[in-house]
Amino acid sequence: MGVFPTDILRCAMLKTPAVKYPPFLPPTYPDRTWPDRRLERAPRWCSTDLRDGNQALVEPMDLARKNRLYDLLVRLGFKEIEVAFPAASAVEQAFVRSLIDDNRIPADVTLQVMTPARPPLIATTIAALAGAPRAIVHLYNATAPLFRRVVFGLDQTQTVALAVEGTRLIRELTEARPETRWTYQYSPETFCFTEWEFALEICERVRETWGPTAERPLILNLPTTVEVAMPNAFADQIEWFHRHLSSREHVTLSVHPHNDRGTAVATAEQALLAGAERIEGCLFGNGERTGNVDLLTLALNLYTQGIDPGLDFSALDEVKEVLEWCTGLPVPARHPYAGALVYTAFSGSHQDAIRKGFAAREARGEARWEIPYLPLDPADVGRSYEAVIRVNSQSGKGGAAWVVERALGVSLPKGLQADFGRRVQALADAQGGELDAEAVCALFARAYFVEDSPALRLIDHHLSRDGETCVFRGTVSRGQEPPYAVEGRGNGSLSSALAALASVGVCLSVRAFSEQSLERGAEARAIAFLEAEAAGGRSVFGVGLDTDTTLAALRAVVSAANAVLGDA
């Protein structure tokens, strides 16, 4: 018998899924205004990595991992950090106490902790925060009809009473500890599929019970604990709530999107347009099931639209390393902004566009970032440009040229790019897999820096003038033959050298020639590029490198000659 029952193996996706999965139909809201708004500032950020992210791990973090992650969150600039669920375990309580007792809370950082609406657990939670300079106590209870009916067996009146009594107890316990500046946060779970009017009603009752003021702030946190609709439906709900809530000026609207439909980032962005001011989530989207909204992606989305997110991801690889160590979860290679391959192009057309974009930006000398396929400058998050273009069998001339140009600091002529691209393609096909920069540059040297080839070598040379004519006299060796003298005449050093080679049977004519400097100063090297026409009209290419520009040009001639002899 197989591992799986045969009746399971026979199952298939439904042809009429609406029978099993009826669509979620939110109320219509034709008065919406959020689609015409633009984001102009970052929200208040709250990291829930140490609580929501931690409770989603197969192996929850120990104190060492919690401490390392907390230190990272502080360095990144988070001012509100949900650090624990104190009533859940002794480790959670010990971590909160260590932060307070060891004075590890910066003056601008507020700890947040979470508790369900159960009196004993509320009391344990408040006690864990004793002596904290600032604290947010986060209470939640289930408000959605599915949870009320199936999980808790409560009606709306009982659900409201649970929230109100929990709020009243938290107010009493916090007022008894005036040494701490308390903020209260309430979450109706799950807000996104709670009836609009009921969600408003329960939050109004909580607000009345807490009595928010400037000295006693209130956060209403509206979670998509489980995504059930497209982001625009949630934005409508947020705007409706925002416009109908009493004493709105005394309340901070927060959202806590999960990612069940893969749209948590879009949900958060549209919620901000609709009136939300604060976002809760995790770095890299950690959390239950498909995770919370990814705060890193959300913050860098703002950054690429010219908005300072207030969070510092300039050492993104370090952030990734710490999160992977603390959570045991790898960051996917294609994760937005942080993945190992997100700034890398293998496709030839992408590589060519990126390379031209860098060249155009350098020519303009502008700060503005306009590079095809790269919405963010990798340098801004601590990445180098070396991995922007990587070469494999899918790459084209642009990718090969980029690697060599980055190594030499020059721009390859268009014809040479195409010729070298074909050579790289052939090598990649033959070897399979990726060619690293060292392999690409070695191939370039073998293909064009061939002045030391056993086929033809320039041993010495002398240039002179005979009236308007340039005379080239030199000594060359060819294969195993003894060295012999050559002579040629032309209107310059290049044409006279080509004439000298013609005298020994290597006939080339110039199609294009250019030189570039590799460095600055008296000892700067020059690199010369020659495209020449050989027998049959085909193009061959030569490259020469020397501190003397004339000798660099002559080396390019010999390089091109060896291309002909190598094919003979």
Side-chain angles (χ1 to χ4, degrees):
M1 182 176 179
V3 176
F4 299 105
T6 55
D7 59 330
I8 293 179
L9 293 176
R10 284 198 299 268
C11 290
M13 293 184 69
L14 303 174
K15 298 300 183 183
T16 55
V19 173
K20 189 174 183 179
Y21 305 105
F24 179 77
L25 300 175
T28 59
Y29 187 47
D31 294 334
R32 68 179 66 86
T33 61
W34 63 264
D36 295 324
R37 297 179 187 151
R38 296 179 59 189
L39 295 180
E40 297 179 346
R41 64 182 62 85
R44 279 171 55 182
W45 303 106
C46 177
S47 162
T48 62
D49 290 88
L50 290 163
R51 195 279 304 169
D52 200 342
N54 183 54
Q55 73 183 42
L57 300 177
V58 174
E59 182 181 339
M61 287 179 270
D62 56 19
L63 288 176
R65 284 172 163 77
K66 271 184 165 280
N67 279 302
R68 187 177 181 190
L69 182 49
Y70 171 79
D71 289 340
L72 174 69
L73 294 171
V74 170
R75 290 205 314 272
L76 293 178
F78 284 99
K79 307 305 180 187
E80 297 175 11
I81 304 173
E82 190 168 75
V83 293
F85 200 131
S89 71
V91 171
E92 297 287 278
Q93 292 183 42
F95 178 61
V96 176
R97 291 311 316 164
S98 70
L99 296 178
I100 298 170
D101 296 339
D102 297 342
N103 297 314
R104 294 182 56 214
I105 309 170
D108 58 350
V109 172
T110 300
L111 301 187
Q112 177 173 307
V113 295
M114 191 177 194
T115 179
R118 295 170 57 187
L121 302 184
I122 290 172
T124 298
T125 300
I126 300 298
L129 289 167
R134 295 158 308 283
I136 301 170
V137 183
H138 179 191
L139 179 132
Y140 71 96
N141 71 311
T143 60
L146 176 64
F147 286 78
R148 297 196 313 259
R149 184 181 72 253
V150 174
V151 182
F152 297 102
L154 300 177
D155 60 22
Q156 290 188 356
T157 300
Q158 293 168 314
T159 301
V160 171
L162 195 63
V164 168
E165 289 307 311
T167 303
R168 182 176 292 116
L169 178 57
I170 289 175
R171 177 167 177 171
E172 291 173 1
L173 293 175
T174 55
E175 286 179 345
R177 298 179 181 273
E179 70 277 9
T180 299
R181 188 178 189 275
W182 298 97
T183 298
Y184 177 52
Q185 174 170 310
Y186 172 69
S187 291
E189 185 196 16
T190 170
F191 173 80
C192 62
F193 59 97
T194 298
E195 305 93 331
W196 289 19
E197 293 79 5
F198 178 59
L200 180 64
E201 176 191 350
I202 196 169
C203 287
E204 290 281 25
R205 293 292 303 279
V206 165
R207 181 192 58 77
E208 292 166 1
T209 305
W210 180 254
T213 64
E215 292 72 31
R216 190 168 53 241
L218 172 64
I219 300 169
L220 292 178
N221 186 54
L222 309 176
T224 56
T225 312
V226 180
E227 283 194 309
V228 293
M230 290 188 291
N232 63 293
F234 185 67
D236 282 352
Q237 190 177 11
I238 292 293
E239 181 171 344
W240 183 90
F241 188 94
H242 161 68
R243 291 167 67 173
H244 287 81
L245 181 69
S246 304
S247 301
R248 177 66 181 85
E249 68 277 11
H250 298 306
V251 176
T252 297
L253 279 192
S254 176
V255 292
H256 182 113
H258 277 250
N259 198 43
D260 301 88
R261 292 168 53 91
T263 59
V265 169
T267 295
E269 291 177 332
Q270 293 186 16
L272 292 174
L273 293 173
E277 304 147 286
R278 181 178 181 269
I279 300 285
E280 291 190 347
C282 294
L283 297 174
F284 304 109
N286 187 25
E288 296 283 9
R289 303 179 313 281
T290 55
N292 294 266
V293 64
D294 178 5
L295 297 186
L296 183 145
T297 297
L298 192 57
L300 291 178
N301 280 358
L302 294 173
Y303 183 77
T304 59
Q305 297 300 305
I307 299 171
D308 177 9
L311 298 173
D312 182 5
F313 292 113
S314 57
L316 190 49
D317 284 339
E318 179 191 355
V319 177
K320 175 184 168 185
E321 176 189 345
V322 171
L323 262 292
E324 289 182 329
W325 184 81
C326 290
T327 65
L329 299 175
V331 175
R334 297 296 181 187
H335 189 285
Y337 300 111
L341 297 177
V342 296
Y343 303 105
T344 299
F346 290 102
S347 161
S349 60
H350 288 208
Q351 292 174 342
D352 189 56
I354 290 170
R355 178 180 159 274
K356 289 175 178 175
F358 272 100
R361 184 171 186 263
E362 183 177 350
R364 292 194 312 269
E366 295 179 359
R368 184 170 180 171
W369 182 258
E370 289 184 326
I371 305 294
Y373 299 111
L374 290 178
L376 174 69
D377 184 350
D380 287 2
V381 291
R383 294 279 182 90
S384 74
Y385 292 140
E386 302 312 313
V388 167
I389 289 177
R390 289 163 57 178
V391 177
N392 63 15
S393 61
Q394 300 298 307
S395 305
K397 61 182 177 60
W402 164 273
V403 172
V404 173
E405 289 171 0
R406 295 290 300 176
L408 296 179
V410 297
S411 297
L412 301 187
K414 189 173 181 178
L416 182 60
Q417 290 177 36
D419 184 76
F420 185 53
R422 287 189 291 270
R423 295 172 186 266
V424 170
Q425 179 79 44
L427 181 61
D429 284 339
Q431 292 189 358
E434 180 183 352
L435 301 179
D436 61 19
E438 183 178 357
V440 172
C441 290
L443 175 61
F444 186 80
R446 290 196 304 272
Y448 305 113
F449 290 168
V450 289
E451 59 269 23
D452 294 327
S453 166
L456 182 69
R457 296 180 60 203
L458 177 64
I459 298 173
D460 59 45
H461 76 283
H462 176 73
L463 292 169
S464 61
R465 304 297 301 187
D466 182 5
E468 298 296 319
T469 302
C470 178
V471 180
F472 176 92
R473 295 183 178 90
T475 304
V476 299
S477 65
R478 184 171 178 178
Q480 300 301 316
E481 300 174 4
Y484 53 90
V486 293
E487 180 176 324
R489 293 170 175 266
N491 57 11
S493 57
L494 201 63
S495 60
S496 61
L498 289 172
L501 290 179
S503 69
V504 293
V506 181
C507 298
L508 296 170
S509 59
V510 176
R511 280 185 171 172
F513 177 80
S514 63
E515 281 186 328
Q516 298 176 43
S517 177
L518 296 182
E519 300 99 3
R520 295 181 180 179
E523 298 301 316
R525 293 175 301 165
I527 188 167
F529 301 109
L530 172 66
E531 179 180 0
E533 182 178 332
R538 70 184 184 92
S539 285
V540 295
F541 297 87
V543 179
L545 183 67
D546 203 276
T547 54
D548 181 279
T549 57
T550 300
L551 188 53
L554 295 178
R555 291 186 185 279
V557 169
V558 175
S559 171
N562 275 304
V564 173
L565 296 172
D567 293 339

